Amino acid sequence: MLEKITEKFVDAFRGISGKASISEKNVEDAIEQIKMALLEADVNLRVVRRFVNSTLEEARGEKVLRSVSPGQQFVKIVHDKMVALLGDADQDLNLRGPDTLSVILLLGLQGSGKTTTASKLAYRLKAKGRKVLLVACDLVRPAAVEQLSVLGAQIGVAVHTENTKDPVVVAKAALARARRESFDTVIVDTAGRLQIDDALMAELARVRDVADPIESLLVADAMTGQAAVDIAKTFDEKIGITGVILSKFDSDTRGGAALSLKSVTGKAIKFIGTSERPDGLEPFHPDRIASRILGMGDIVSLVEKAQTVYDQKEAEDLAKKLSQETFSLQDYLEQLQKMKKMGSVKSMLDMLPGLAGQVSEDQLDLEGMKYEEAILQSMTRKERQNYLIIGPSRRSRIAKGSGTSVAEVNRLLKKFEKSRAMMKKMTSSKGKAAMAKYMASGAAGN
Ligand code: GDP
């Protein structure tokens, strides 16, 4: 997701970040590239204009151009403006306490993902301990009722259906049942058409009046770009919405809908759909998405992940080792093992600044990592502490022990020497903390 726009932003920053000094012209060029990136991503024209003008105004000032790290200042300005565009803060669902019934109404065009999203939301809320009833009020799309029943059975959530053509009848009956059977949350799937029409809106308004929802969420297809924004506007005018769920965010979305929605409609994005599965629904974090779009990586997610296997003290020790050049093969082995524990390497690397979207699984050579671990395991601890003692006869013993060849052992040792040299360079500058984080991901082993 978002690969294309990220690529464009990384390009725009390339000429500017890391430079000791930048000119007004550099800033203007970068902003021109940013403008093109936003337009190509199908961001609303007025939103682009406002974004570009305010960024230009702030970035051209003396404060930025004369600062110690003008490139980084510039990136920060763009980042902050993008967070604001995406909606500033995380938006949670506004539900009542468990003793009062909370109704969530899902609205949207046909095929936008309402039925799927209804079950995802139910799955999520059930996991949070709520007692959820799904209600099948989409009586227009053939098989929608059946689809919801199947999904509900899959996730172990009750589904209310009625044999009628009137969704108001279904909604009334479902609410009565919810009260009778002490459900605390009701999620109503409604009908959509291929296009907005008045008859549909009138019907939805009747369902809304009966259901009295605390949340009326529009499910919009992220792939449709600005069209999603227009749809949100219309639904808000005709029915009233409290927020948006952008479905199919895992598809090849260009980002236009996410970037335009809040400022055009005033409605926040609450969730994104990230797969077809019941667990494919994630809260929308504006700052994380902004970082991802800017190619800065999703540092927060990365750190959250890394923290589970890597604590602060270890990170500090590692940074110290790096700066004192005592980083050994033993440490290398430990990094490799930590990395394995952290899960998919590709998804970790995608979160890293400057690497997002640039490393493919093939380039990573996961097989190679397994061999490396075997080679390291075949060394004695003493050898791992001091790689200089590993002469020819030790090399052939290690190769035999690990089922590899002397050439492979040599390659690993050479690579280790090279990365030590690189670390020395990096840790001599102020990049120590960043390097420790980088190492926490295990990525320096590659
Ligand atoms: P409805 O007509 O609005 O109820 O739409 P559906 O729930 O039937 O969804 C339409 C299609 O989109 C189905 O094939 C879903 O599996 C798919 N879909 C929905 N949400 C997502 C998502 O977040 N990611 C992906 N990849 N597919 C989704």
Side-chain angles (χ1 to χ4, degrees), residues 109 111-116 120 141 147 248 250 273 275-276:
L109 294 189
S112 61
K114 278 182 309 301
T115 307
T116 316
K120 288 177 182 179
R141 181 163 64 82
Q147 187 189 344
K248 308 181 199 177
D250 53 314
S275 81
E276 294 184 81

Side-chain angles (χ1 to χ4, degrees), residues 187-231:
I187 301 175
V188 184
D189 182 23
T190 62
R193 301 277 202 283
L194 292 174
Q195 262 133 19
I196 286 171
D197 70 47
D198 291 341
L200 168 73
M201 289 298 168
E203 182 184 295
L204 291 175
R206 282 169 55 231
V207 174
R208 174 205 61 202
D209 291 345
V210 170
D212 187 22
I214 186 159
E215 288 275 15
S216 299
L217 302 172
L218 179 84
V219 179
D221 182 338
M223 302 261 290
T224 59
Q226 282 191 61
V229 181
D230 294 337
I231 292 161

